[in-house]
Amino acid sequence: MKKIGILTSGGDAPGMNAAIRAIVRSSLNKKFNVIGFKNGYDGLIDNKFVNFDRRSVGNIIQHGGSILYTSRSLRFLEEKYRLIAAKNLDKIDIDSLVVIGGEGSARGAKELAKDTKIKVVCIPATIDKDMPLVGKTIGFDTAINTALNAIDKIRDTATTSNVTHIVEVMGRNCGWLAILAGIGAGAEAALIPESKADVDILSKRVINQLKSGKKGCILIVAEGSHLNGNVLAEKLKEKRILDIRITSLGHIQRGGNPSAADRVLASELGYAAVKSVINNTNNVILAKPLDKIKEIPLNKLKTTPNKIDKSLYNLINILA
């Protein structure tokens, strides 16, 4: 009888619980045992786990966060701790491990596969959508809608008081959230890690918009942009744009009930993960870049750069 392990790792993303539920119930339907490790890779090292049954995952599909909790394990970066994790997995006869998380979590799974005979399957869950090849990631749809809901409220007050608002969204290395928030919110510009903004051009655009009668401007800034909100505000003030407010949306983008799209994607990928386990698949990440679920070798993630859609990025300026 197969025994499957599950963990959630890295930053939490709405829909992780839906993925856990799908894995557990799909596994139990095949008469597999299912073990959940708490606190990400730290749970493997510390051997902290729970045994799942069908009721363990009841009434969780609609909740954000992760019932297994999550962490960014610094210890797991060291080989000695990965070997401890491997021994713990071997002791309780885990056949396959399903890792739900982002790019760093996938790297951890890949390293673990080197140190153990246990097969690893990953499911992409990250609000940044910063993983190449995989397309949609669990949590992104919810995060962008959370951001838009907040920006819509900011737009109301911006147009009432004729203030320029700088809104910081998440995106340490990737600008997808900022780009789609910029389009969806009708922003004047988005600053992203992948492209260096020209403050002279940006300030002229804002000034021209205000002179033309526009009431209030919205500028979206990804947290990984070369200019953070405070620095951008100071530079714009030097250009005589004086009435500026800064809002950082921060971790509200990680929280909240997952959207329908994230619940469905998580359920599909969770079920697909169990099918991969049945087929003894190893060292892959499951994804749905278009209309079908694919198994992508983890090695390909490292050699493929993550790209933004420049046509969408340019669309912000065109429609501003």
Side-chain angles (χ1 to χ4, degrees):
M1 180 184 292
K2 285 186 177 292
K3 185 181 285 188
I4 298 176
I6 310 171
L7 64 83
T8 51
S9 172
D12 58 303
M16 282 182 162
N17 282 329
I20 293 170
R21 173 181 178 271
I23 297 165
V24 170
R25 292 196 170 172
S26 298
S27 298
L28 293 175
N29 287 341
K30 296 294 182 181
K31 309 300 182 185
F32 299 160
N33 291 322
V34 193
I35 302 293
F37 291 91
K38 292 189 172 183
N39 303 314
Y41 287 114
D42 280 339
L44 297 186
I45 297 168
D46 300 328
N47 208 26
K48 291 184 177 179
F49 61 86
V50 293
N51 290 286
F52 278 125
D53 59 27
R54 294 187 72 85
R55 296 275 58 83
S56 301
V57 293
N59 199 33
I60 68 169
I61 193 172
Q62 74 274 29
H63 292 302
S66 167
I67 61 169
L68 289 174
Y69 311 111
T70 184
S71 70
R72 303 182 191 274
S73 177
L74 294 177
R75 289 186 296 168
F76 203 73
L77 297 175
E78 300 180 41
E79 184 181 14
K80 66 178 181 179
Y81 288 110
R82 292 198 299 272
L83 291 174
I84 292 172
K87 288 179 181 178
N88 288 337
L89 288 167
D90 188 57
K91 284 179 184 176
I92 56 175
D93 299 321
I94 295 291
D95 301 297
S96 300
L97 180 69
V98 181
V99 175
I100 307 167
E103 192 242 348
S105 304
R107 286 202 310 269
K110 181 183 169 188
E111 292 301 316
L112 181 64
K114 293 179 182 178
D115 303 325
T116 177
K117 295 178 181 178
I118 294 162
K119 296 176 176 62
V120 296
V121 175
C122 297
I123 294 177
T126 165
I127 69 166
D128 291 334
K129 206 178 85 158
D130 58 353
M131 303 176 76
L133 303 176
V134 304
K136 295 177 288 187
T137 58
I138 295 169
F140 179 79
D141 185 75
T142 305
I144 190 62
N145 280 291
T146 298
L148 285 175
N149 186 47
I151 296 167
D152 286 347
K153 291 178 171 64
I154 292 170
R155 172 72 77 181
D156 289 343
T157 186
T159 54
T160 300
S161 54
N162 199 21
V163 171
T164 297
H165 280 261
I166 296 171
V167 183
E168 290 185 336
V169 299
M170 285 190 164
R172 187 174 65 253
N173 301 311
C174 180
W176 272 114
L177 268 174
I179 291 171
L180 295 198
I183 295 173
E188 279 57 59
L191 278 65
I192 60 175
E194 296 89 342
S195 180
K196 192 171 183 179
D198 187 316
V199 177
D200 288 333
I201 294 175
L202 177 59
S203 61
K204 287 177 182 177
R205 186 185 307 148
V206 172
I207 290 170
N208 288 337
Q209 292 276 19
L210 296 174
K211 283 182 177 179
S212 70
K214 187 159 193 174
K215 297 293 185 183
C217 289
I218 301 289
L219 306 175
I220 310 295
V221 179
E223 63 180 339
S225 171
H226 70 290
L227 295 176
N228 63 32
N230 290 318
V231 174
L232 178 60
E234 290 303 315
K235 289 186 175 294
L236 291 178
K237 286 177 182 178
E238 292 173 4
K239 305 294 182 181
R240 309 305 297 168
I241 303 171
L242 302 178
D243 207 351
I244 300 172
R245 301 290 184 275
I246 305 168
T247 303
S248 177
L249 299 185
H251 280 72
I252 69 165
Q253 294 158 96
R254 291 199 181 280
N257 296 344
S259 66
D262 278 329
R263 297 185 201 191
V264 172
L265 179 63
S267 298
E268 286 183 294
L269 294 179
Y271 172 66
V274 177
K275 288 171 65 178
S276 294
V277 168
I278 293 170
N279 294 329
N280 292 313
T281 306
N282 188 26
N283 244 330
V284 300
I285 187 164
L286 297 172
K288 194 178 182 183
L290 294 173
D291 59 335
K292 294 181 180 179
I293 292 175
K294 294 184 176 181
E295 294 178 343
I296 300 171
L298 290 178
N299 288 333
K300 281 194 173 182
L301 295 186
K302 185 177 180 181
T303 58
T304 305
N306 190 48
K307 296 180 180 179
I308 60 167
D309 187 332
K310 289 186 178 179
S311 64
L312 286 176
Y313 178 59
N314 294 331
L315 188 61
I316 299 170
N317 298 333
I318 294 169
L319 300 181

